[in-house]
Amino acid sequence: DQQEVDIWIQDLRRGSRTRLSNEGSMELTRCWTPDGERIVFFTFPPTRTIFMRDLDPTAPLDSVASGMFPSLSSDGKLMVYEAQDSDGTHIELLDMTGSADPVTLISGQGRYRNPRISPDDRYIAYASDETGNDEIYLRTFPQGSHPARVSLEGGVDLVWTRDGKRIIYHDNEGLFVVEVVRDPRLELSRPVKLFDAKKGDFMLNRSFTVSPEGDRLVLVRKARPEISKTSADIVMVESWRRLLGDSSR
């Protein structure tokens, strides 16, 4: 049987939950619009389609593109996402302000997946197995040039902190953080492991994020098998930057 996954909105202050989608497929959220009024998500199977919807379960779905894992620029005018065709998996760029067709931004040998635009719109981070192993990379945006490797020993998905000074990624074994210095030139620190977060225990793939203030990490943890085989818990890690030795946070 086809598994169904719906989009829910959790009010962290009130503790209430609202189901936003129920389309009879797997619906996976990826990002909010900059004004916080809409959610961008994608569905599959049978097709991989990106949609937008107002924060109202009765609002109509707006089809945006064929693909997965969208990410919006800070003004909502540009969107990048993972697309597949006969040539493989690549990253496309779509101008949301007009009717122009999407253009291929990053492609080549291997798969290019899970793109994330930096908060200042200067860079795009993504995962690729172009060297034979999954790693996290960085390129200029929107040019898609000057690739720089972020991870050193594997990486499959990532988020930016809101200030754009850090990339947090996972490699199916743990969460890591890399410091990003943008001026006067791009410099990346060595990855620092925050904590163990094995794929078997946490639903890490596209299921972790950082709060807007940057002080909390939110992950989805699988329930213990003796409790449930299908449910999961939302885990919030507060003051995570203290793991980096920053006692002021």
Side-chain angles (χ1 to χ4, degrees):
D1 293 340
Q2 176 179 304
Q3 183 180 6
E4 293 187 17
V5 178
D6 301 323
I7 304 295
W8 291 76
I9 299 175
Q10 174 89 29
D11 189 320
L12 296 179
R13 293 178 179 174
R14 299 180 61 235
S16 61
R17 289 190 300 170
T18 303
R19 183 160 61 183
L20 188 64
S21 72
N22 185 17
E23 310 306 318
S25 62
M26 292 187 69
E27 296 114 42
L28 301 178
T29 188
R30 187 54 169 177
C31 58
W32 300 72
T33 55
D35 59 10
E37 296 297 323
R38 311 189 84 192
I39 283 183
V40 186
F41 65 95
F42 67 95
T43 65
F44 77 97
T47 61
R48 297 172 170 86
T49 306
I50 298 171
F51 293 98
M52 278 190 180
R53 169 171 273 172
D54 294 341
L55 303 185
D56 177 357
T58 64
L61 283 176
D62 293 331
S63 179
V64 179
S66 297
M68 303 188 296
F69 309 119
S71 174
L72 291 172
S73 59
S74 62
D75 58 8
K77 294 181 179 180
L78 297 175
M79 183 177 74
V80 294
Y81 57 94
E82 174 185 319
Q84 294 182 335
D85 57 24
S86 58
D87 295 326
T89 303
H90 54 275
I91 295 172
E92 292 192 344
L93 172 66
L94 178 64
D95 185 341
M96 302 287 284
T97 64
S99 58
D101 293 332
V103 297
T104 298
L105 181 66
I106 303 174
S107 64
Q109 298 295 323
R111 298 176 299 167
Y112 298 82
R113 302 174 291 118
N114 299 333
R116 295 269 194 172
I117 302 173
S118 65
D120 63 1
D121 298 330
R122 292 172 58 183
Y123 297 98
I124 177 173
Y126 60 95
S128 175
D129 61 356
E130 61 185 36
T131 62
N133 298 314
D134 285 313
E135 300 286 356
I136 303 298
Y137 295 88
L138 197 65
R139 295 193 187 208
T140 58
F141 184 79
Q143 300 85 2
S145 59
H146 299 91
R149 184 163 160 180
V150 176
S151 61
L152 297 180
E153 296 180 355
V156 294
D157 198 13
L158 71 127
V159 294
W160 291 86
T161 54
R162 183 62 64 91
D163 58 12
K165 295 180 179 180
R166 296 180 175 98
I167 292 174
I168 300 173
Y169 70 90
H170 78 84
D171 65 352
N172 290 329
E173 295 293 330
L175 283 183
F176 295 79
V177 61
V178 169
E179 306 281 341
V180 181
V181 177
R182 293 160 291 183
D183 297 306
R185 64 181 183 276
L186 178 66
E187 294 183 16
L188 302 172
S189 72
R190 289 187 62 85
V192 175
K193 190 173 186 177
L194 294 175
F195 50 81
D196 290 332
K198 296 184 182 297
K199 185 176 181 179
D201 299 328
F202 287 86
M203 300 175 67
L204 287 169
N205 204 15
R206 300 101 191 176
S207 296
F208 71 103
T209 190
V210 185
S211 66
E213 301 80 11
D215 59 342
R216 292 176 292 178
L217 275 171
V218 182
L219 305 93
V220 181
R221 180 177 61 189
K222 296 179 181 178
R224 296 193 303 273
E226 62 269 23
I227 297 177
S228 173
K229 294 183 179 180
T230 58
S231 64
D233 300 320
I234 296 176
V235 177
M236 188 175 299
V237 182
E238 296 186 348
S239 302
W240 63 270
R241 282 175 287 191
R242 291 183 179 180
L243 299 173
L244 303 175
D246 185 355
S247 59
S248 66
R249 298 291 183 176

